[in-house]
Amino acid sequence: MSEKHVIPVGTYVGIFTALIALTGLTVWVAFHDFGSMNTVIAVGIACIKALLVALFFMHLKYSARILWLYAGTAIAFFILLITITLSDYRSREWFPTPKAWSQPTATAPGASH
Amino acid sequence: MSSASQANEHVAHHFESAEQQRQSAQLGMWAFLVTEVMFFSGLFAAYIIYRSLYPEAWTVGSHMLSIGLGGFNTIILLCSSLTMALAVHAAQTDKRGASARWIILTIVLGLAFLGVKMVEYSAKIEHHLVPGAHFHLDPAQELANLQAAGVQVGDHLRHAMETVNTAHVQLFFSLYFAITGLHALHMIIGIGVMIWLLKTTIEGRYSSAYINPVEVSGLYWHFVDIVWIFLFPLLYLVGRH
């Protein structure tokens, strides 16, 4: 399945050209107002570029499937980190803060323990 | 595929075949790259949280960076990824001289990237944009400068410039220096690896039967390129419209 696969030079040059074109596209998009979609488009283009680099320059397309699992693990842990951290930060205003938490005290927090 | 007997001299005793050894090398490098993704993830998480809390500071901070230099560096890195891929290709097809030349070009492009980065850093230092006691930013003055330079200032940017808290812009620049600094460190290490790769390539250690070090060094180099692919839009292109 994964014996050495020599990718033709033409493919590399094609991928490189696509990467340069996508860089131009991401700059073009940044100067046009798509509202809140600007960031989504920017990250989307970056993901496509990263995928092209991984699949062809890093030969992932022709590699053993366990390497796909490894690459997927990296993405999964990134999503896990962001989701859990953001769900904390973004939900903080959802509930009222108990008054005692926000009142300044004479002693430093934790000093009484 | 090369038969085991052909590649025998390169196969360590604990591997069954050259192919198994090659896959193990790749797996090892990918495992390392997964930890690298997690390493950078912490900084990206900080970026996402603070950007979601202080979007106007990100718009203002991003406008203090040069798209020209950042874009130029993006193209340099993409070129270096191509030359690295071609170095691996040349090694796969037994073209040692070509492989060495592509590696040299990769090193030159890597150094060019760091050179541009140095120009950018020194400009930020000169303009007092390094977080800390000497940080100084006058958004009203910057807005006037942009208008004087004939830049079409949209409502989005004007609003950000008028309402921004410069302490939050310091946060943007803290993350800018931390992330690009860590990335630059990876580039420096990558160039070190490339110099070693060049030396061993010239010594004739690799042939189509054995190119594992060339391949895994390439994986690392491309990974560093991927990090920059995300950094360019996330740092230089925020709120430009």
Short mmCIF file of all heavy atoms in Angstrom, two decimals, chain A residues 2 4-7 9 12 16 23 30-33 38-39 46 49-50 53 57-58 60 66-67 70-71 77-78 81-82 85 89-90, chain B residues 19 22-23 26-27 30-31 33-34 38 41 45 48-49 51-52 67 78-79 81-82 85 89 92 208-209 219 222 226 229-230 240-241:
data_model
loop_
_atom_site.label_atom_id
_atom_site.label_comp_id
_atom_site.label_asym_id
_atom_site.label_seq_id
_atom_site.Cartn_x
_atom_site.Cartn_y
_atom_site.Cartn_z
N SER A 2 1.91 1.24 0.84
CA SER A 2 2.61 2.50 1.03
C SER A 2 4.08 2.40 0.64
O SER A 2 4.94 2.99 1.28
CB SER A 2 2.48 2.94 2.48
OG SER A 2 2.85 1.88 3.32
N LYS A 4 7.34 3.29 -1.55
CA LYS A 4 7.75 4.62 -1.99
C LYS A 4 6.97 5.03 -3.23
O LYS A 4 6.97 4.33 -4.24
CB LYS A 4 9.24 4.63 -2.29
CG LYS A 4 10.06 5.01 -1.07
CD LYS A 4 11.52 4.82 -1.36
CE LYS A 4 12.20 4.12 -0.20
NZ LYS A 4 13.51 3.60 -0.55
N HIS A 5 6.32 6.15 -3.14
CA HIS A 5 5.57 6.66 -4.27
C HIS A 5 6.23 7.96 -4.71
O HIS A 5 6.32 8.91 -3.93
CB HIS A 5 4.12 6.91 -3.86
CG HIS A 5 3.28 7.36 -5.00
ND1 HIS A 5 3.26 8.66 -5.44
CD2 HIS A 5 2.43 6.68 -5.82
CE1 HIS A 5 2.43 8.76 -6.47
NE2 HIS A 5 1.92 7.57 -6.71
N VAL A 6 6.76 7.97 -5.93
CA VAL A 6 7.42 9.18 -6.42
C VAL A 6 6.38 10.07 -7.11
O VAL A 6 5.81 9.70 -8.13
CB VAL A 6 8.57 8.84 -7.39
CG1 VAL A 6 9.24 10.11 -7.87
CG2 VAL A 6 9.58 7.93 -6.69
N ILE A 7 6.13 11.22 -6.50
CA ILE A 7 5.19 12.18 -7.08
C ILE A 7 5.90 12.95 -8.19
O ILE A 7 7.02 13.42 -7.98
CB ILE A 7 4.68 13.16 -5.99
CG1 ILE A 7 3.96 12.39 -4.87
CG2 ILE A 7 3.77 14.22 -6.59
CD1 ILE A 7 3.51 13.26 -3.71
N VAL A 9 7.29 15.80 -10.68
CA VAL A 9 7.64 17.20 -10.41
C VAL A 9 6.49 18.13 -10.80
O VAL A 9 6.21 19.10 -10.11
CB VAL A 9 8.93 17.57 -11.19
CG1 VAL A 9 9.20 19.07 -11.09
CG2 VAL A 9 10.11 16.79 -10.62
N TYR A 12 4.10 18.73 -8.01
CA TYR A 12 4.63 19.66 -7.00
C TYR A 12 4.47 21.10 -7.47
O TYR A 12 4.05 21.98 -6.71
CB TYR A 12 6.12 19.38 -6.74
CG TYR A 12 6.37 18.14 -5.92
CD1 TYR A 12 7.31 17.18 -6.33
CD2 TYR A 12 5.71 17.95 -4.71
CE1 TYR A 12 7.55 16.06 -5.57
CE2 TYR A 12 5.95 16.82 -3.94
CZ TYR A 12 6.87 15.88 -4.37
OH TYR A 12 7.12 14.78 -3.63
N PHE A 16 2.24 24.01 -5.80
CA PHE A 16 2.89 25.27 -5.43
C PHE A 16 2.13 26.46 -6.04
O PHE A 16 1.85 27.45 -5.35
CB PHE A 16 4.35 25.27 -5.91
CG PHE A 16 5.03 26.60 -5.79
CD1 PHE A 16 5.43 27.09 -4.55
CD2 PHE A 16 5.27 27.37 -6.92
CE1 PHE A 16 6.06 28.32 -4.45
CE2 PHE A 16 5.90 28.60 -6.82
CZ PHE A 16 6.29 29.08 -5.58
N THR A 23 -2.85 32.23 -1.59
CA THR A 23 -2.30 33.32 -0.78
C THR A 23 -2.83 34.65 -1.31
O THR A 23 -3.26 35.53 -0.55
CB THR A 23 -0.76 33.31 -0.82
OG1 THR A 23 -0.30 32.03 -0.39
CG2 THR A 23 -0.18 34.38 0.08
N ALA A 30 -9.41 39.61 2.35
CA ALA A 30 -9.25 40.41 3.57
C ALA A 30 -9.63 41.87 3.34
O ALA A 30 -10.06 42.55 4.27
CB ALA A 30 -7.80 40.33 4.06
N PHE A 31 -9.50 42.34 2.10
CA PHE A 31 -9.81 43.75 1.82
C PHE A 31 -11.26 43.97 1.39
O PHE A 31 -11.63 45.06 1.01
CB PHE A 31 -8.84 44.30 0.76
CG PHE A 31 -7.49 44.61 1.32
CD1 PHE A 31 -6.46 43.67 1.27
CD2 PHE A 31 -7.26 45.83 1.96
CE1 PHE A 31 -5.22 43.95 1.82
CE2 PHE A 31 -6.02 46.11 2.51
CZ PHE A 31 -5.00 45.17 2.44
N HIS A 32 -12.05 42.89 1.40
CA HIS A 32 -13.46 43.03 1.07
C HIS A 32 -14.30 42.63 2.27
O HIS A 32 -13.95 41.71 3.00
CB HIS A 32 -13.81 42.17 -0.15
CG HIS A 32 -13.19 42.72 -1.40
ND1 HIS A 32 -11.85 42.53 -1.69
CD2 HIS A 32 -13.69 43.46 -2.41
CE1 HIS A 32 -11.57 43.13 -2.82
NE2 HIS A 32 -12.66 43.70 -3.29
N ASP A 33 -15.41 43.34 2.45
CA ASP A 33 -16.22 43.14 3.64
C ASP A 33 -17.22 42.00 3.43
O ASP A 33 -18.15 42.12 2.65
CB ASP A 33 -16.95 44.44 3.97
CG ASP A 33 -17.56 44.39 5.37
OD1 ASP A 33 -17.47 43.33 6.01
OD2 ASP A 33 -18.11 45.41 5.80
N ASN A 38 -15.50 37.00 7.11
CA ASN A 38 -14.11 37.26 6.73
C ASN A 38 -13.14 36.28 7.41
O ASN A 38 -12.28 35.69 6.75
CB ASN A 38 -13.71 38.70 7.10
CG ASN A 38 -13.99 39.65 5.96
OD1 ASN A 38 -15.10 40.17 5.86
ND2 ASN A 38 -13.03 39.87 5.11
N THR A 39 -13.30 36.12 8.72
CA THR A 39 -12.41 35.23 9.46
C THR A 39 -12.62 33.78 9.03
O THR A 39 -11.66 33.02 8.86
CB THR A 39 -12.65 35.37 10.98
OG1 THR A 39 -12.55 36.75 11.32
CG2 THR A 39 -11.63 34.58 11.77
N ALA A 46 -6.79 28.95 4.64
CA ALA A 46 -5.57 28.44 5.29
C ALA A 46 -5.65 26.92 5.46
O ALA A 46 -4.65 26.21 5.26
CB ALA A 46 -5.36 29.13 6.64
N LYS A 49 -4.95 25.28 2.15
CA LYS A 49 -3.51 25.35 1.87
C LYS A 49 -2.74 24.30 2.70
O LYS A 49 -1.88 23.59 2.19
CB LYS A 49 -2.97 26.75 2.18
CG LYS A 49 -3.38 27.78 1.14
CD LYS A 49 -3.07 29.20 1.61
CE LYS A 49 -1.60 29.53 1.53
NZ LYS A 49 -1.34 30.91 2.02
N ALA A 50 -3.10 24.22 4.00
CA ALA A 50 -2.43 23.26 4.88
C ALA A 50 -2.67 21.84 4.39
O ALA A 50 -1.76 21.00 4.39
CB ALA A 50 -2.94 23.42 6.31
N VAL A 53 -0.47 21.10 1.39
CA VAL A 53 0.91 20.85 1.81
C VAL A 53 1.02 19.45 2.41
O VAL A 53 1.92 18.67 2.07
CB VAL A 53 1.39 21.92 2.83
CG1 VAL A 53 2.74 21.54 3.41
CG2 VAL A 53 1.47 23.29 2.16
N PHE A 57 3.03 17.72 -0.49
CA PHE A 57 4.43 17.96 -0.09
C PHE A 57 4.85 16.97 0.99
O PHE A 57 5.99 16.52 1.02
CB PHE A 57 4.60 19.40 0.41
CG PHE A 57 4.63 20.43 -0.69
CD1 PHE A 57 4.73 21.78 -0.40
CD2 PHE A 57 4.56 20.05 -2.03
CE1 PHE A 57 4.76 22.73 -1.41
CE2 PHE A 57 4.59 21.00 -3.05
CZ PHE A 57 4.69 22.35 -2.74
N MET A 58 3.94 16.64 1.91
CA MET A 58 4.28 15.70 2.99
C MET A 58 3.86 14.27 2.64
O MET A 58 3.95 13.38 3.49
CB MET A 58 3.61 16.16 4.30
CG MET A 58 4.10 17.51 4.79
SD MET A 58 3.17 18.16 6.20
CE MET A 58 4.06 17.42 7.57
N LEU A 60 1.19 12.72 2.43
CA LEU A 60 0.19 12.04 3.26
C LEU A 60 -0.77 11.22 2.39
O LEU A 60 -1.19 10.12 2.77
CB LEU A 60 -0.59 13.07 4.08
CG LEU A 60 -1.30 12.55 5.33
CD1 LEU A 60 -0.34 11.80 6.23
CD2 LEU A 60 -1.92 13.71 6.10
N ILE A 66 -2.10 4.83 9.02
CA ILE A 66 -1.88 5.18 10.42
C ILE A 66 -1.37 6.62 10.54
O ILE A 66 -1.61 7.30 11.53
CB ILE A 66 -0.91 4.19 11.12
CG1 ILE A 66 -0.92 4.45 12.62
CG2 ILE A 66 0.50 4.29 10.56
CD1 ILE A 66 -0.41 3.32 13.45
N LEU A 67 -0.70 7.12 9.49
CA LEU A 67 -0.25 8.51 9.51
C LEU A 67 -1.45 9.46 9.41
O LEU A 67 -1.44 10.55 9.97
CB LEU A 67 0.75 8.78 8.39
CG LEU A 67 2.08 8.02 8.46
CD1 LEU A 67 3.04 8.52 7.39
CD2 LEU A 67 2.71 8.15 9.83
N TYR A 70 -2.69 9.77 12.83
CA TYR A 70 -1.85 10.68 13.63
C TYR A 70 -2.21 12.13 13.30
O TYR A 70 -2.41 12.93 14.21
CB TYR A 70 -0.37 10.42 13.35
CG TYR A 70 0.22 9.35 14.24
CD1 TYR A 70 -0.45 8.16 14.46
CD2 TYR A 70 1.45 9.54 14.86
CE1 TYR A 70 0.09 7.18 15.27
CE2 TYR A 70 2.00 8.56 15.68
CZ TYR A 70 1.31 7.39 15.88
OH TYR A 70 1.85 6.43 16.69
N ALA A 71 -2.28 12.44 12.02
CA ALA A 71 -2.61 13.82 11.61
C ALA A 71 -3.99 14.19 12.16
O ALA A 71 -4.20 15.29 12.67
CB ALA A 71 -2.57 13.94 10.10
N PHE A 77 -7.25 17.00 18.87
CA PHE A 77 -6.85 17.59 20.14
C PHE A 77 -6.91 19.10 20.10
O PHE A 77 -7.23 19.75 21.09
CB PHE A 77 -5.45 17.11 20.55
CG PHE A 77 -5.51 15.85 21.37
CD1 PHE A 77 -5.41 14.61 20.77
CD2 PHE A 77 -5.72 15.92 22.74
CE1 PHE A 77 -5.51 13.45 21.52
CE2 PHE A 77 -5.80 14.76 23.50
CZ PHE A 77 -5.70 13.52 22.88
N PHE A 78 -6.62 19.67 18.93
CA PHE A 78 -6.72 21.13 18.79
C PHE A 78 -8.17 21.56 19.01
O PHE A 78 -8.45 22.48 19.78
CB PHE A 78 -6.22 21.57 17.42
CG PHE A 78 -6.38 23.05 17.18
CD1 PHE A 78 -5.56 23.95 17.82
CD2 PHE A 78 -7.37 23.53 16.33
CE1 PHE A 78 -5.71 25.32 17.63
CE2 PHE A 78 -7.53 24.89 16.13
CZ PHE A 78 -6.70 25.79 16.78
N LEU A 81 -9.18 21.27 22.67
CA LEU A 81 -8.60 22.35 23.48
C LEU A 81 -9.42 23.63 23.31
O LEU A 81 -9.80 24.28 24.29
CB LEU A 81 -7.15 22.59 23.06
CG LEU A 81 -6.45 23.78 23.71
CD1 LEU A 81 -6.14 23.51 25.16
CD2 LEU A 81 -5.18 24.13 22.97
N ILE A 82 -9.69 23.98 22.05
CA ILE A 82 -10.40 25.23 21.76
C ILE A 82 -11.84 25.16 22.29
O ILE A 82 -12.33 26.10 22.93
CB ILE A 82 -10.43 25.50 20.23
CG1 ILE A 82 -9.01 25.59 19.68
CG2 ILE A 82 -11.22 26.77 19.92
CD1 ILE A 82 -8.15 26.61 20.33
N THR A 85 -11.94 25.24 26.24
CA THR A 85 -11.51 26.53 26.78
C THR A 85 -12.52 27.62 26.46
O THR A 85 -12.90 28.41 27.32
CB THR A 85 -10.13 26.91 26.22
OG1 THR A 85 -9.29 25.77 26.25
CG2 THR A 85 -9.50 28.02 27.03
N TYR A 89 -14.82 30.36 28.71
CA TYR A 89 -14.78 31.82 28.59
C TYR A 89 -16.11 32.41 28.13
O TYR A 89 -16.55 33.42 28.64
CB TYR A 89 -13.67 32.24 27.61
CG TYR A 89 -12.35 32.44 28.31
CD1 TYR A 89 -11.48 31.38 28.51
CD2 TYR A 89 -11.98 33.70 28.78
CE1 TYR A 89 -10.27 31.55 29.15
CE2 TYR A 89 -10.78 33.89 29.43
CZ TYR A 89 -9.92 32.81 29.61
OH TYR A 89 -8.74 32.99 30.26
N ARG A 90 -16.74 31.76 27.12
CA ARG A 90 -17.94 32.35 26.54
C ARG A 90 -19.18 32.16 27.41
O ARG A 90 -20.19 32.80 27.18
CB ARG A 90 -18.20 31.79 25.14
CG ARG A 90 -17.06 32.01 24.17
CD ARG A 90 -16.55 33.42 24.15
NE ARG A 90 -17.45 34.36 23.49
CZ ARG A 90 -17.22 35.65 23.37
NH1 ARG A 90 -16.13 36.17 23.89
NH2 ARG A 90 -18.07 36.42 22.75
N GLU B 19 11.30 -1.13 4.06
CA GLU B 19 10.00 -0.46 4.06
C GLU B 19 9.47 -0.28 5.49
O GLU B 19 8.94 0.78 5.84
CB GLU B 19 9.01 -1.26 3.20
CG GLU B 19 7.62 -0.67 3.10
CD GLU B 19 7.60 0.79 2.61
OE1 GLU B 19 8.57 1.23 1.95
OE2 GLU B 19 6.61 1.49 2.91
N ARG B 22 11.36 2.47 7.07
CA ARG B 22 10.94 3.77 6.52
C ARG B 22 9.63 4.22 7.17
O ARG B 22 9.49 5.37 7.60
CB ARG B 22 10.78 3.65 5.01
CG ARG B 22 10.26 4.90 4.35
CD ARG B 22 10.23 4.78 2.84
NE ARG B 22 9.45 5.86 2.29
CZ ARG B 22 8.14 5.83 2.12
NH1 ARG B 22 7.46 4.75 2.42
NH2 ARG B 22 7.49 6.87 1.62
N GLN B 23 8.69 3.28 7.29
CA GLN B 23 7.40 3.63 7.90
C GLN B 23 7.56 4.00 9.36
O GLN B 23 6.87 4.88 9.86
CB GLN B 23 6.40 2.48 7.73
CG GLN B 23 5.98 2.31 6.29
CD GLN B 23 4.67 1.54 6.16
OE1 GLN B 23 3.97 1.34 7.14
NE2 GLN B 23 4.36 1.12 4.95
N GLN B 26 8.83 7.54 9.56
CA GLN B 26 7.76 8.50 9.28
C GLN B 26 6.80 8.61 10.45
O GLN B 26 6.39 9.71 10.82
CB GLN B 26 6.99 8.07 8.03
CG GLN B 26 7.86 8.06 6.79
CD GLN B 26 7.08 8.46 5.56
OE1 GLN B 26 5.88 8.28 5.50
NE2 GLN B 26 7.78 9.00 4.59
N LEU B 27 6.47 7.47 11.03
CA LEU B 27 5.55 7.46 12.17
C LEU B 27 6.14 8.26 13.33
O LEU B 27 5.45 9.04 13.98
CB LEU B 27 5.28 6.01 12.60
CG LEU B 27 4.06 5.78 13.48
CD1 LEU B 27 2.79 6.17 12.76
CD2 LEU B 27 4.00 4.32 13.91
N TRP B 30 5.89 11.95 12.53
CA TRP B 30 4.50 12.41 12.65
C TRP B 30 4.08 12.50 14.11
O TRP B 30 3.36 13.42 14.50
CB TRP B 30 3.55 11.51 11.86
CG TRP B 30 3.40 11.97 10.44
CD1 TRP B 30 4.08 11.51 9.35
CD2 TRP B 30 2.54 13.01 9.95
NE1 TRP B 30 3.70 12.20 8.22
CE2 TRP B 30 2.76 13.12 8.56
CE3 TRP B 30 1.62 13.87 10.56
CZ2 TRP B 30 2.08 14.05 7.77
CZ3 TRP B 30 0.95 14.78 9.76
CH2 TRP B 30 1.18 14.87 8.39
N ALA B 31 4.52 11.55 14.94
CA ALA B 31 4.19 11.61 16.37
C ALA B 31 4.76 12.91 16.96
O ALA B 31 4.09 13.61 17.74
CB ALA B 31 4.75 10.40 17.10
N LEU B 33 5.37 15.64 15.28
CA LEU B 33 4.61 16.78 14.73
C LEU B 33 3.26 16.95 15.44
O LEU B 33 2.79 18.07 15.61
CB LEU B 33 4.41 16.61 13.22
CG LEU B 33 5.68 16.67 12.37
CD1 LEU B 33 5.35 16.57 10.89
CD2 LEU B 33 6.48 17.94 12.65
N VAL B 34 2.65 15.83 15.87
CA VAL B 34 1.40 15.94 16.64
C VAL B 34 1.65 16.72 17.92
O VAL B 34 0.89 17.61 18.29
CB VAL B 34 0.81 14.54 16.95
CG1 VAL B 34 -0.38 14.66 17.90
CG2 VAL B 34 0.38 13.84 15.67
N MET B 38 0.18 20.47 19.20
CA MET B 38 -0.36 20.79 20.54
C MET B 38 0.41 21.95 21.17
O MET B 38 -0.16 22.79 21.86
CB MET B 38 -0.28 19.56 21.43
CG MET B 38 -1.20 18.45 20.95
SD MET B 38 -1.07 17.03 22.03
CE MET B 38 -1.93 15.81 21.06
N SER B 41 -0.86 24.91 19.63
CA SER B 41 -2.29 25.04 19.93
C SER B 41 -2.54 25.93 21.14
O SER B 41 -3.50 26.70 21.16
CB SER B 41 -2.92 23.67 20.20
OG SER B 41 -2.96 22.92 19.02
N ALA B 45 -4.92 29.01 21.04
CA ALA B 45 -6.07 29.11 21.94
C ALA B 45 -6.09 30.48 22.60
O ALA B 45 -7.13 31.13 22.67
CB ALA B 45 -6.01 28.00 22.99
N ILE B 48 -7.29 32.97 20.06
CA ILE B 48 -8.73 32.92 19.79
C ILE B 48 -9.52 33.56 20.92
O ILE B 48 -10.42 34.36 20.70
CB ILE B 48 -9.18 31.46 19.56
CG1 ILE B 48 -8.60 30.93 18.25
CG2 ILE B 48 -10.70 31.35 19.55
CD1 ILE B 48 -8.74 29.43 18.07
N ILE B 49 -9.13 33.25 22.17
CA ILE B 49 -9.87 33.78 23.31
C ILE B 49 -9.73 35.30 23.39
O ILE B 49 -10.72 36.02 23.49
CB ILE B 49 -9.39 33.12 24.62
CG1 ILE B 49 -9.91 31.69 24.67
CG2 ILE B 49 -9.88 33.90 25.83
CD1 ILE B 49 -9.09 30.78 25.52
N ARG B 51 -8.81 37.38 21.07
CA ARG B 51 -9.39 38.06 19.91
C ARG B 51 -10.91 38.14 20.07
O ARG B 51 -11.53 39.14 19.72
CB ARG B 51 -9.03 37.32 18.62
CG ARG B 51 -9.61 38.03 17.41
CD ARG B 51 -9.14 37.44 16.10
NE ARG B 51 -9.94 37.95 15.01
CZ ARG B 51 -9.77 37.60 13.75
NH1 ARG B 51 -8.82 36.74 13.43
NH2 ARG B 51 -10.53 38.09 12.81
N SER B 52 -11.52 37.07 20.62
CA SER B 52 -12.97 37.10 20.79
C SER B 52 -13.37 38.10 21.88
O SER B 52 -14.45 38.67 21.84
CB SER B 52 -13.50 35.70 21.11
OG SER B 52 -13.22 35.35 22.44
N ILE B 67 1.62 44.09 5.54
CA ILE B 67 1.16 43.00 4.68
C ILE B 67 2.21 42.67 3.63
O ILE B 67 2.41 41.52 3.27
CB ILE B 67 -0.16 43.38 3.99
CG1 ILE B 67 -1.29 43.45 5.01
CG2 ILE B 67 -0.52 42.36 2.90
CD1 ILE B 67 -2.65 43.60 4.38
N LEU B 78 6.58 29.32 1.01
CA LEU B 78 5.96 28.38 0.06
C LEU B 78 7.00 27.90 -0.95
O LEU B 78 7.04 26.73 -1.30
CB LEU B 78 4.77 29.04 -0.64
CG LEU B 78 3.55 29.33 0.25
CD1 LEU B 78 2.47 30.06 -0.54
CD2 LEU B 78 2.97 28.05 0.84
N CYS B 79 7.86 28.84 -1.41
CA CYS B 79 8.94 28.46 -2.33
C CYS B 79 9.87 27.44 -1.67
O CYS B 79 10.28 26.46 -2.30
CB CYS B 79 9.76 29.69 -2.75
SG CYS B 79 8.91 30.80 -3.85
N SER B 81 9.14 25.35 0.62
CA SER B 81 8.49 24.05 0.72
C SER B 81 8.59 23.31 -0.63
O SER B 81 8.79 22.10 -0.67
CB SER B 81 7.01 24.20 1.09
OG SER B 81 6.81 23.88 2.44
N LEU B 82 8.46 24.08 -1.72
CA LEU B 82 8.61 23.47 -3.04
C LEU B 82 10.03 22.93 -3.22
O LEU B 82 10.22 21.78 -3.63
CB LEU B 82 8.29 24.49 -4.15
CG LEU B 82 8.49 23.99 -5.58
CD1 LEU B 82 7.52 22.86 -5.91
CD2 LEU B 82 8.33 25.14 -6.59
N ALA B 85 10.44 19.81 -1.25
CA ALA B 85 9.77 18.67 -1.88
C ALA B 85 10.61 18.17 -3.06
O ALA B 85 10.73 16.96 -3.28
CB ALA B 85 8.38 19.08 -2.35
N HIS B 89 12.35 14.61 -3.81
CA HIS B 89 12.11 13.97 -5.10
C HIS B 89 13.43 13.56 -5.76
O HIS B 89 13.57 12.44 -6.26
CB HIS B 89 11.33 14.92 -6.02
CG HIS B 89 11.01 14.34 -7.35
ND1 HIS B 89 11.86 14.45 -8.43
CD2 HIS B 89 9.95 13.63 -7.79
CE1 HIS B 89 11.32 13.84 -9.47
NE2 HIS B 89 10.16 13.32 -9.10
N GLN B 92 14.88 10.63 -4.01
CA GLN B 92 14.12 9.40 -4.35
C GLN B 92 14.58 8.83 -5.68
O GLN B 92 14.52 7.63 -5.90
CB GLN B 92 12.62 9.73 -4.45
CG GLN B 92 11.89 9.78 -3.13
CD GLN B 92 10.42 10.14 -3.31
OE1 GLN B 92 10.06 10.87 -4.24
NE2 GLN B 92 9.58 9.63 -2.43
N SER B 208 18.25 5.98 -3.57
CA SER B 208 16.82 5.66 -3.63
C SER B 208 16.47 4.53 -2.67
O SER B 208 15.31 4.38 -2.28
CB SER B 208 16.42 5.31 -5.06
OG SER B 208 17.20 4.22 -5.50
N ALA B 209 17.48 3.73 -2.26
CA ALA B 209 17.20 2.64 -1.34
C ALA B 209 17.06 3.13 0.10
O ALA B 209 16.47 2.44 0.93
CB ALA B 209 18.32 1.61 -1.40
N LEU B 219 9.36 16.51 6.20
CA LEU B 219 8.09 16.58 6.94
C LEU B 219 8.12 17.74 7.94
O LEU B 219 7.18 18.51 8.06
CB LEU B 219 7.82 15.26 7.67
CG LEU B 219 7.45 14.05 6.81
CD1 LEU B 219 7.23 12.82 7.69
CD2 LEU B 219 6.21 14.32 5.98
N HIS B 222 7.98 21.16 6.14
CA HIS B 222 6.63 21.48 5.64
C HIS B 222 5.70 21.84 6.80
O HIS B 222 4.83 22.69 6.65
CB HIS B 222 6.06 20.29 4.86
CG HIS B 222 6.83 19.99 3.61
ND1 HIS B 222 7.11 20.96 2.68
CD2 HIS B 222 7.37 18.84 3.15
CE1 HIS B 222 7.81 20.41 1.69
NE2 HIS B 222 7.98 19.13 1.96
N ILE B 226 3.33 25.08 7.28
CA ILE B 226 1.89 25.05 7.57
C ILE B 226 1.55 26.02 8.72
O ILE B 226 0.55 26.73 8.65
CB ILE B 226 1.43 23.61 7.92
CG1 ILE B 226 1.38 22.77 6.64
CG2 ILE B 226 0.06 23.62 8.60
CD1 ILE B 226 0.98 21.32 6.85
N ILE B 229 1.33 29.37 7.30
CA ILE B 229 0.13 29.50 6.46
C ILE B 229 -1.04 30.00 7.29
O ILE B 229 -1.85 30.81 6.84
CB ILE B 229 -0.19 28.15 5.77
CG1 ILE B 229 0.77 27.92 4.59
CG2 ILE B 229 -1.65 28.10 5.29
CD1 ILE B 229 0.64 26.56 3.94
N PHE B 230 -1.13 29.54 8.55
CA PHE B 230 -2.19 30.03 9.43
C PHE B 230 -1.83 31.39 10.04
O PHE B 230 -2.70 32.24 10.22
CB PHE B 230 -2.47 29.01 10.55
CG PHE B 230 -3.28 27.83 10.07
CD1 PHE B 230 -2.65 26.66 9.69
CD2 PHE B 230 -4.66 27.92 9.95
CE1 PHE B 230 -3.39 25.58 9.22
CE2 PHE B 230 -5.40 26.85 9.48
CZ PHE B 230 -4.77 25.67 9.12
N ARG B 240 -9.06 44.15 7.79
CA ARG B 240 -8.48 45.05 6.79
C ARG B 240 -9.53 45.73 5.93
O ARG B 240 -9.26 46.73 5.29
CB ARG B 240 -7.51 44.27 5.89
CG ARG B 240 -6.24 43.83 6.59
CD ARG B 240 -5.26 45.00 6.74
NE ARG B 240 -4.04 44.58 7.41
CZ ARG B 240 -2.97 45.36 7.53
NH1 ARG B 240 -2.97 46.57 7.01
NH2 ARG B 240 -1.90 44.94 8.15
N HIS B 241 -10.72 45.14 5.87
CA HIS B 241 -11.75 45.70 4.98
C HIS B 241 -12.33 46.99 5.55
O HIS B 241 -12.29 47.24 6.74
CB HIS B 241 -12.87 44.68 4.77
CG HIS B 241 -13.45 44.16 6.06
ND1 HIS B 241 -12.91 43.08 6.71
CD2 HIS B 241 -14.46 44.56 6.82
CE1 HIS B 241 -13.60 42.86 7.81
NE2 HIS B 241 -14.53 43.74 7.92
#
